[in-house]
Amino acid sequence: MVSPFLRRSFQAAAAIVASLALAAGPLAGQAPAPSSGNPEITALTLKGVHAFDPEALRLNIATDESHCVSILLRPVCLFSKSPLFYKRVRLNRAELARDVLRVMVFYFQRGYREAQVDTTVVPAGRNAVHVTIAVNEGKPTIVSAISIVQDTSVLSRRQLRRVLALRKGRPYNLIELDSTIATLDSRLWNRGYSDAVIDTAVVLDTAARTADITIKVDPRWRARVASITVKGNKGVSARTIKKSLSFKPGGLYRQSDVLASQRALYESNLFRRAAIEVPTTDDSLKHVLIDVQEAPPHDARYSAGFNTIDFVQVEGHYADYNWLSGAKRLTIDAAVGNLFAHTLNGNGVFYDVGKTVVGGSQSQYLSPTYTASADVRYPWFGSPNNEAAFGIFAHRRSSPGIYVDKGYGLSATFTRTLTPRGPLSLNYRFEETSVQAG
């Protein structure tokens, strides 16, 4: 999401560049156009681009050259220009004119406010042209000083230094300034200052090409959650939804808690949409609205197939995302193989088990094989940061003439999320197996 500051900066940059373009009139360096209205662009050259990666500039303009659709197909494109492998790009004069403005805005946003752009279109054979975009970057406007002033000391000097993406002595980059403001706003919100006001004051010296930047921060007050209202739920109780939230009435209203709560709602697979909304008010008490749209609570899949060694197999999957309420998830998976093995064995198409079973009974290798498991996950187990899981499983596997492996067991897991990407789990697994070797 683009911040209001950056949006205003973009609009100002576009207005300034547009006025310069209108004052300059037609593109002076553009050669007479070929006879065809839309010739193919066989080459696009960027000249004078030194301060930035030319590829980054290419991504910001509409004009392109004809090219192979994939780097892997370049050897093919040497011999074939089929639309399946090769994309032909036609000259669009209106877009080329707009690209002049796009390039100027690109440089303006990154501190090069005096950049000039010219284009040249040169015939290159029948109904083909070469396009050149020449840039005179000029000298950048340099940040002579940058400071953050707090009405109330909320963040330490070290924290403020880590927030700054824009530094003294570097070009006056509007994107880096916006990143600084967005990071500063996020840090304040995570401390409960969701209504903090951040303003900027920039003193530009056009003659010296310098910018003196002051960022003013008014934390105002620490916001707290006054109430939580759930809307749109039908099969899932409001109590279950509230258990997933990392914030409670009376607690601080923080961005990290909002994001963690929204992630927990989506990861439950119970909702197609889960929006956390807070009406804008000049008040430290926040009334939070949880607006959800429920997804189907059940998921079932099955499939069947065969091969010449394992005969016929079927498998299935079933999930109940709100089993016995409370967002407990029940998952059942099962697969059965060796079906119809006694009938299909050795019929000329399927494998003949008797070839590998010597001096013993082959019936045990023709019996059905299977794997089955049932797992229950209990999210938000006493806390939004906890999860408990329990499972049972069983299997029977075999390799004709070698072994038959049977087993069953159970498992239990407790997981505590210490940080957003740092879970700690304790796991217990019990399994008993028996193997009959041939």
Side-chain angles (χ1 to χ4, degrees), residues 38 90 125 158 163 174 182 205 230 245 336 376 380 383 394-395 400 413:
N38 295 100
R90 300 290 177 178
R158 181 182 178 185
V163 163
L174 298 178
D205 187 337
V230 178
L245 304 178
V336 182
V376 176
W380 321 321
S383 165
H395 70 267
T413 304

mmCIF file with all atom_site columns, all heavy atoms in Angstrom, residues 38 90 125 158 163 174 182 205 230 245 336 376 380 383 394-395 400 413:
data_model
loop_
_atom_site.group_PDB
_atom_site.id
_atom_site.type_symbol
_atom_site.label_atom_id
_atom_site.label_alt_id
_atom_site.label_comp_id
_atom_site.label_asym_id
_atom_site.label_entity_id
_atom_site.label_seq_id
_atom_site.pdbx_PDB_ins_code
_atom_site.Cartn_x
_atom_site.Cartn_y
_atom_site.Cartn_z
_atom_site.occupancy
_atom_site.B_iso_or_equiv
_atom_site.pdbx_formal_charge
_atom_site.auth_seq_id
_atom_site.auth_comp_id
_atom_site.auth_asym_id
_atom_site.auth_atom_id
_atom_site.pdbx_PDB_model_num
ATOM 1   N N   . ASN A 1 38  ? 3.081   0.929   -37.589 1.00 0.00 ? 38  ASN A N   1
ATOM 2   C CA  . ASN A 1 38  ? 3.510   0.206   -36.398 1.00 0.00 ? 38  ASN A CA  1
ATOM 3   C C   . ASN A 1 38  ? 4.634   -0.768  -36.750 1.00 0.00 ? 38  ASN A C   1
ATOM 4   O O   . ASN A 1 38  ? 4.424   -1.983  -36.804 1.00 0.00 ? 38  ASN A O   1
ATOM 5   C CB  . ASN A 1 38  ? 2.324   -0.561  -35.783 1.00 0.00 ? 38  ASN A CB  1
ATOM 6   C CG  . ASN A 1 38  ? 1.251   0.365   -35.265 1.00 0.00 ? 38  ASN A CG  1
ATOM 7   O OD1 . ASN A 1 38  ? 0.241   0.571   -35.930 1.00 0.00 ? 38  ASN A OD1 1
ATOM 8   N ND2 . ASN A 1 38  ? 1.474   0.925   -34.088 1.00 0.00 ? 38  ASN A ND2 1
ATOM 9   N N   . ARG A 1 90  ? 5.610   -4.163  -31.372 1.00 0.00 ? 90  ARG A N   1
ATOM 10  C CA  . ARG A 1 90  ? 5.400   -3.094  -32.339 1.00 0.00 ? 90  ARG A CA  1
ATOM 11  C C   . ARG A 1 90  ? 5.571   -1.735  -31.669 1.00 0.00 ? 90  ARG A C   1
ATOM 12  O O   . ARG A 1 90  ? 5.311   -1.565  -30.474 1.00 0.00 ? 90  ARG A O   1
ATOM 13  C CB  . ARG A 1 90  ? 3.990   -3.199  -32.943 1.00 0.00 ? 90  ARG A CB  1
ATOM 14  C CG  . ARG A 1 90  ? 3.724   -4.515  -33.671 1.00 0.00 ? 90  ARG A CG  1
ATOM 15  C CD  . ARG A 1 90  ? 4.521   -4.612  -34.951 1.00 0.00 ? 90  ARG A CD  1
ATOM 16  N NE  . ARG A 1 90  ? 4.319   -5.895  -35.630 1.00 0.00 ? 90  ARG A NE  1
ATOM 17  C CZ  . ARG A 1 90  ? 4.877   -6.213  -36.784 1.00 0.00 ? 90  ARG A CZ  1
ATOM 18  N NH1 . ARG A 1 90  ? 5.671   -5.326  -37.396 1.00 0.00 ? 90  ARG A NH1 1
ATOM 19  N NH2 . ARG A 1 90  ? 4.661   -7.385  -37.323 1.00 0.00 ? 90  ARG A NH2 1
ATOM 20  N N   . GLY A 1 125 ? 15.615  -1.613  -41.621 1.00 0.00 ? 125 GLY A N   1
ATOM 21  C CA  . GLY A 1 125 ? 15.112  -2.624  -42.547 1.00 0.00 ? 125 GLY A CA  1
ATOM 22  C C   . GLY A 1 125 ? 13.633  -2.436  -42.791 1.00 0.00 ? 125 GLY A C   1
ATOM 23  O O   . GLY A 1 125 ? 13.010  -1.441  -42.414 1.00 0.00 ? 125 GLY A O   1
ATOM 24  N N   . ARG A 1 158 ? 19.153  4.562   19.024  1.00 0.00 ? 158 ARG A N   1
ATOM 25  C CA  . ARG A 1 158 ? 19.586  3.403   18.235  1.00 0.00 ? 158 ARG A CA  1
ATOM 26  C C   . ARG A 1 158 ? 18.446  2.883   17.370  1.00 0.00 ? 158 ARG A C   1
ATOM 27  O O   . ARG A 1 158 ? 18.646  2.549   16.202  1.00 0.00 ? 158 ARG A O   1
ATOM 28  C CB  . ARG A 1 158 ? 20.090  2.306   19.173  1.00 0.00 ? 158 ARG A CB  1
ATOM 29  C CG  . ARG A 1 158 ? 20.587  1.064   18.441  1.00 0.00 ? 158 ARG A CG  1
ATOM 30  C CD  . ARG A 1 158 ? 21.021  0.000   19.423  1.00 0.00 ? 158 ARG A CD  1
ATOM 31  N NE  . ARG A 1 158 ? 21.453  -1.211  18.740  1.00 0.00 ? 158 ARG A NE  1
ATOM 32  C CZ  . ARG A 1 158 ? 21.792  -2.333  19.355  1.00 0.00 ? 158 ARG A CZ  1
ATOM 33  N NH1 . ARG A 1 158 ? 21.783  -2.384  20.688  1.00 0.00 ? 158 ARG A NH1 1
ATOM 34  N NH2 . ARG A 1 158 ? 22.166  -3.394  18.658  1.00 0.00 ? 158 ARG A NH2 1
ATOM 35  N N   . VAL A 1 163 ? 15.809  2.677   11.809  1.00 0.00 ? 163 VAL A N   1
ATOM 36  C CA  . VAL A 1 163 ? 14.619  2.935   10.999  1.00 0.00 ? 163 VAL A CA  1
ATOM 37  C C   . VAL A 1 163 ? 14.979  3.650   9.699   1.00 0.00 ? 163 VAL A C   1
ATOM 38  O O   . VAL A 1 163 ? 14.337  3.446   8.660   1.00 0.00 ? 163 VAL A O   1
ATOM 39  C CB  . VAL A 1 163 ? 13.612  3.776   11.820  1.00 0.00 ? 163 VAL A CB  1
ATOM 40  C CG1 . VAL A 1 163 ? 12.577  4.415   10.919  1.00 0.00 ? 163 VAL A CG1 1
ATOM 41  C CG2 . VAL A 1 163 ? 12.928  2.898   12.863  1.00 0.00 ? 163 VAL A CG2 1
ATOM 42  N N   . LEU A 1 174 ? 12.835  9.708   -2.731  1.00 0.00 ? 174 LEU A N   1
ATOM 43  C CA  . LEU A 1 174 ? 11.493  9.749   -2.149  1.00 0.00 ? 174 LEU A CA  1
ATOM 44  C C   . LEU A 1 174 ? 11.015  8.373   -1.712  1.00 0.00 ? 174 LEU A C   1
ATOM 45  O O   . LEU A 1 174 ? 10.267  8.242   -0.730  1.00 0.00 ? 174 LEU A O   1
ATOM 46  C CB  . LEU A 1 174 ? 10.507  10.339  -3.160  1.00 0.00 ? 174 LEU A CB  1
ATOM 47  C CG  . LEU A 1 174 ? 10.766  11.783  -3.599  1.00 0.00 ? 174 LEU A CG  1
ATOM 48  C CD1 . LEU A 1 174 ? 9.747   12.196  -4.638  1.00 0.00 ? 174 LEU A CD1 1
ATOM 49  C CD2 . LEU A 1 174 ? 10.726  12.717  -2.412  1.00 0.00 ? 174 LEU A CD2 1
ATOM 50  N N   . ALA A 1 182 ? 7.163   4.564   6.714   1.00 0.00 ? 182 ALA A N   1
ATOM 51  C CA  . ALA A 1 182 ? 6.357   3.365   6.917   1.00 0.00 ? 182 ALA A CA  1
ATOM 52  C C   . ALA A 1 182 ? 6.929   2.495   8.031   1.00 0.00 ? 182 ALA A C   1
ATOM 53  O O   . ALA A 1 182 ? 6.185   1.959   8.866   1.00 0.00 ? 182 ALA A O   1
ATOM 54  C CB  . ALA A 1 182 ? 6.274   2.575   5.616   1.00 0.00 ? 182 ALA A CB  1
ATOM 55  N N   . ASP A 1 205 ? 17.366  23.259  -1.371  1.00 0.00 ? 205 ASP A N   1
ATOM 56  C CA  . ASP A 1 205 ? 18.205  24.315  -1.921  1.00 0.00 ? 205 ASP A CA  1
ATOM 57  C C   . ASP A 1 205 ? 18.516  23.915  -3.355  1.00 0.00 ? 205 ASP A C   1
ATOM 58  O O   . ASP A 1 205 ? 19.411  23.094  -3.611  1.00 0.00 ? 205 ASP A O   1
ATOM 59  C CB  . ASP A 1 205 ? 19.482  24.466  -1.098  1.00 0.00 ? 205 ASP A CB  1
ATOM 60  C CG  . ASP A 1 205 ? 20.308  25.676  -1.529  1.00 0.00 ? 205 ASP A CG  1
ATOM 61  O OD1 . ASP A 1 205 ? 20.151  26.119  -2.687  1.00 0.00 ? 205 ASP A OD1 1
ATOM 62  O OD2 . ASP A 1 205 ? 21.121  26.161  -0.725  1.00 0.00 ? 205 ASP A OD2 1
ATOM 63  N N   . VAL A 1 230 ? -17.668 -9.869  16.384  1.00 0.00 ? 230 VAL A N   1
ATOM 64  C CA  . VAL A 1 230 ? -17.509 -10.820 15.284  1.00 0.00 ? 230 VAL A CA  1
ATOM 65  C C   . VAL A 1 230 ? -18.724 -10.739 14.381  1.00 0.00 ? 230 VAL A C   1
ATOM 66  O O   . VAL A 1 230 ? -19.865 -10.728 14.849  1.00 0.00 ? 230 VAL A O   1
ATOM 67  C CB  . VAL A 1 230 ? -17.327 -12.258 15.810  1.00 0.00 ? 230 VAL A CB  1
ATOM 68  C CG1 . VAL A 1 230 ? -17.217 -13.244 14.647  1.00 0.00 ? 230 VAL A CG1 1
ATOM 69  C CG2 . VAL A 1 230 ? -16.102 -12.348 16.708  1.00 0.00 ? 230 VAL A CG2 1
ATOM 70  N N   . LEU A 1 245 ? -7.430  -14.925 18.456  1.00 0.00 ? 245 LEU A N   1
ATOM 71  C CA  . LEU A 1 245 ? -6.868  -13.579 18.405  1.00 0.00 ? 245 LEU A CA  1
ATOM 72  C C   . LEU A 1 245 ? -5.731  -13.414 19.408  1.00 0.00 ? 245 LEU A C   1
ATOM 73  O O   . LEU A 1 245 ? -5.804  -13.912 20.537  1.00 0.00 ? 245 LEU A O   1
ATOM 74  C CB  . LEU A 1 245 ? -7.960  -12.546 18.686  1.00 0.00 ? 245 LEU A CB  1
ATOM 75  C CG  . LEU A 1 245 ? -9.199  -12.605 17.779  1.00 0.00 ? 245 LEU A CG  1
ATOM 76  C CD1 . LEU A 1 245 ? -10.214 -11.551 18.192  1.00 0.00 ? 245 LEU A CD1 1
ATOM 77  C CD2 . LEU A 1 245 ? -8.807  -12.440 16.314  1.00 0.00 ? 245 LEU A CD2 1
ATOM 78  N N   . VAL A 1 336 ? -5.097  -48.119 0.127   1.00 0.00 ? 336 VAL A N   1
ATOM 79  C CA  . VAL A 1 336 ? -5.136  -49.582 0.089   1.00 0.00 ? 336 VAL A CA  1
ATOM 80  C C   . VAL A 1 336 ? -4.626  -50.031 -1.270  1.00 0.00 ? 336 VAL A C   1
ATOM 81  O O   . VAL A 1 336 ? -5.058  -49.510 -2.309  1.00 0.00 ? 336 VAL A O   1
ATOM 82  C CB  . VAL A 1 336 ? -6.555  -50.124 0.336   1.00 0.00 ? 336 VAL A CB  1
ATOM 83  C CG1 . VAL A 1 336 ? -6.545  -51.656 0.337   1.00 0.00 ? 336 VAL A CG1 1
ATOM 84  C CG2 . VAL A 1 336 ? -7.119  -49.602 1.655   1.00 0.00 ? 336 VAL A CG2 1
ATOM 85  N N   . VAL A 1 376 ? -5.620  -35.286 14.871  1.00 0.00 ? 376 VAL A N   1
ATOM 86  C CA  . VAL A 1 376 ? -6.450  -34.204 15.410  1.00 0.00 ? 376 VAL A CA  1
ATOM 87  C C   . VAL A 1 376 ? -5.526  -33.082 15.846  1.00 0.00 ? 376 VAL A C   1
ATOM 88  O O   . VAL A 1 376 ? -4.593  -33.303 16.634  1.00 0.00 ? 376 VAL A O   1
ATOM 89  C CB  . VAL A 1 376 ? -7.308  -34.681 16.602  1.00 0.00 ? 376 VAL A CB  1
ATOM 90  C CG1 . VAL A 1 376 ? -8.081  -33.502 17.189  1.00 0.00 ? 376 VAL A CG1 1
ATOM 91  C CG2 . VAL A 1 376 ? -8.268  -35.769 16.167  1.00 0.00 ? 376 VAL A CG2 1
ATOM 92  N N   . TRP A 1 380 ? -4.799  -23.034 19.150  1.00 0.00 ? 380 TRP A N   1
ATOM 93  C CA  . TRP A 1 380 ? -5.159  -22.072 20.180  1.00 0.00 ? 380 TRP A CA  1
ATOM 94  C C   . TRP A 1 380 ? -5.466  -22.809 21.503  1.00 0.00 ? 380 TRP A C   1
ATOM 95  O O   . TRP A 1 380 ? -6.429  -22.513 22.204  1.00 0.00 ? 380 TRP A O   1
ATOM 96  C CB  . TRP A 1 380 ? -6.358  -21.228 19.741  1.00 0.00 ? 380 TRP A CB  1
ATOM 97  C CG  . TRP A 1 380 ? -6.276  -20.869 18.279  1.00 0.00 ? 380 TRP A CG  1
ATOM 98  C CD1 . TRP A 1 380 ? -5.149  -20.529 17.586  1.00 0.00 ? 380 TRP A CD1 1
ATOM 99  C CD2 . TRP A 1 380 ? -7.344  -20.845 17.324  1.00 0.00 ? 380 TRP A CD2 1
ATOM 100 N NE1 . TRP A 1 380 ? -5.453  -20.299 16.261  1.00 0.00 ? 380 TRP A NE1 1
ATOM 101 C CE2 . TRP A 1 380 ? -6.797  -20.479 16.067  1.00 0.00 ? 380 TRP A CE2 1
ATOM 102 C CE3 . TRP A 1 380 ? -8.716  -21.087 17.402  1.00 0.00 ? 380 TRP A CE3 1
ATOM 103 C CZ2 . TRP A 1 380 ? -7.563  -20.362 14.915  1.00 0.00 ? 380 TRP A CZ2 1
ATOM 104 C CZ3 . TRP A 1 380 ? -9.482  -20.967 16.260  1.00 0.00 ? 380 TRP A CZ3 1
ATOM 105 C CH2 . TRP A 1 380 ? -8.905  -20.613 15.036  1.00 0.00 ? 380 TRP A CH2 1
ATOM 106 N N   . SER A 1 383 ? -4.022  -20.850 24.491  1.00 0.00 ? 383 SER A N   1
ATOM 107 C CA  . SER A 1 383 ? -3.438  -19.575 24.094  1.00 0.00 ? 383 SER A CA  1
ATOM 108 C C   . SER A 1 383 ? -3.352  -19.559 22.572  1.00 0.00 ? 383 SER A C   1
ATOM 109 O O   . SER A 1 383 ? -3.196  -20.626 21.951  1.00 0.00 ? 383 SER A O   1
ATOM 110 C CB  . SER A 1 383 ? -2.041  -19.403 24.705  1.00 0.00 ? 383 SER A CB  1
ATOM 111 O OG  . SER A 1 383 ? -1.341  -18.340 24.064  1.00 0.00 ? 383 SER A OG  1
ATOM 112 N N   . ALA A 1 394 ? -1.421  -46.771 11.238  1.00 0.00 ? 394 ALA A N   1
ATOM 113 C CA  . ALA A 1 394 ? -1.181  -48.206 11.044  1.00 0.00 ? 394 ALA A CA  1
ATOM 114 C C   . ALA A 1 394 ? -0.770  -48.428 9.601   1.00 0.00 ? 394 ALA A C   1
ATOM 115 O O   . ALA A 1 394 ? -1.113  -47.640 8.714   1.00 0.00 ? 394 ALA A O   1
ATOM 116 C CB  . ALA A 1 394 ? -2.434  -49.016 11.379  1.00 0.00 ? 394 ALA A CB  1
ATOM 117 N N   . HIS A 1 395 ? -0.029  -49.519 9.369   1.00 0.00 ? 395 HIS A N   1
ATOM 118 C CA  . HIS A 1 395 ? 0.386   -49.803 8.002   1.00 0.00 ? 395 HIS A CA  1
ATOM 119 C C   . HIS A 1 395 ? 0.653   -51.292 7.818   1.00 0.00 ? 395 HIS A C   1
ATOM 120 O O   . HIS A 1 395 ? 0.917   -52.026 8.776   1.00 0.00 ? 395 HIS A O   1
ATOM 121 C CB  . HIS A 1 395 ? 1.651   -49.016 7.650   1.00 0.00 ? 395 HIS A CB  1
ATOM 122 C CG  . HIS A 1 395 ? 2.875   -49.502 8.374   1.00 0.00 ? 395 HIS A CG  1
ATOM 123 N ND1 . HIS A 1 395 ? 3.296   -48.964 9.563   1.00 0.00 ? 395 HIS A ND1 1
ATOM 124 C CD2 . HIS A 1 395 ? 3.772   -50.490 8.075   1.00 0.00 ? 395 HIS A CD2 1
ATOM 125 C CE1 . HIS A 1 395 ? 4.384   -49.578 9.987   1.00 0.00 ? 395 HIS A CE1 1
ATOM 126 N NE2 . HIS A 1 395 ? 4.708   -50.526 9.098   1.00 0.00 ? 395 HIS A NE2 1
ATOM 127 N N   . PRO A 1 400 ? 7.252   -58.642 -2.527  1.00 0.00 ? 400 PRO A N   1
ATOM 128 C CA  . PRO A 1 400 ? 7.128   -60.092 -2.768  1.00 0.00 ? 400 PRO A CA  1
ATOM 129 C C   . PRO A 1 400 ? 8.450   -60.840 -2.656  1.00 0.00 ? 400 PRO A C   1
ATOM 130 O O   . PRO A 1 400 ? 9.450   -60.470 -3.272  1.00 0.00 ? 400 PRO A O   1
ATOM 131 C CB  . PRO A 1 400 ? 6.576   -60.152 -4.196  1.00 0.00 ? 400 PRO A CB  1
ATOM 132 C CG  . PRO A 1 400 ? 5.835   -58.873 -4.368  1.00 0.00 ? 400 PRO A CG  1
ATOM 133 C CD  . PRO A 1 400 ? 6.614   -57.865 -3.599  1.00 0.00 ? 400 PRO A CD  1
ATOM 134 N N   . THR A 1 413 ? 1.967   -34.182 19.989  1.00 0.00 ? 413 THR A N   1
ATOM 135 C CA  . THR A 1 413 ? 2.849   -33.036 19.778  1.00 0.00 ? 413 THR A CA  1
ATOM 136 C C   . THR A 1 413 ? 2.263   -31.801 20.438  1.00 0.00 ? 413 THR A C   1
ATOM 137 O O   . THR A 1 413 ? 1.054   -31.557 20.340  1.00 0.00 ? 413 THR A O   1
ATOM 138 C CB  . THR A 1 413 ? 3.046   -32.753 18.278  1.00 0.00 ? 413 THR A CB  1
ATOM 139 O OG1 . THR A 1 413 ? 3.530   -33.921 17.631  1.00 0.00 ? 413 THR A OG1 1
ATOM 140 C CG2 . THR A 1 413 ? 4.032   -31.611 18.065  1.00 0.00 ? 413 THR A CG2 1
#
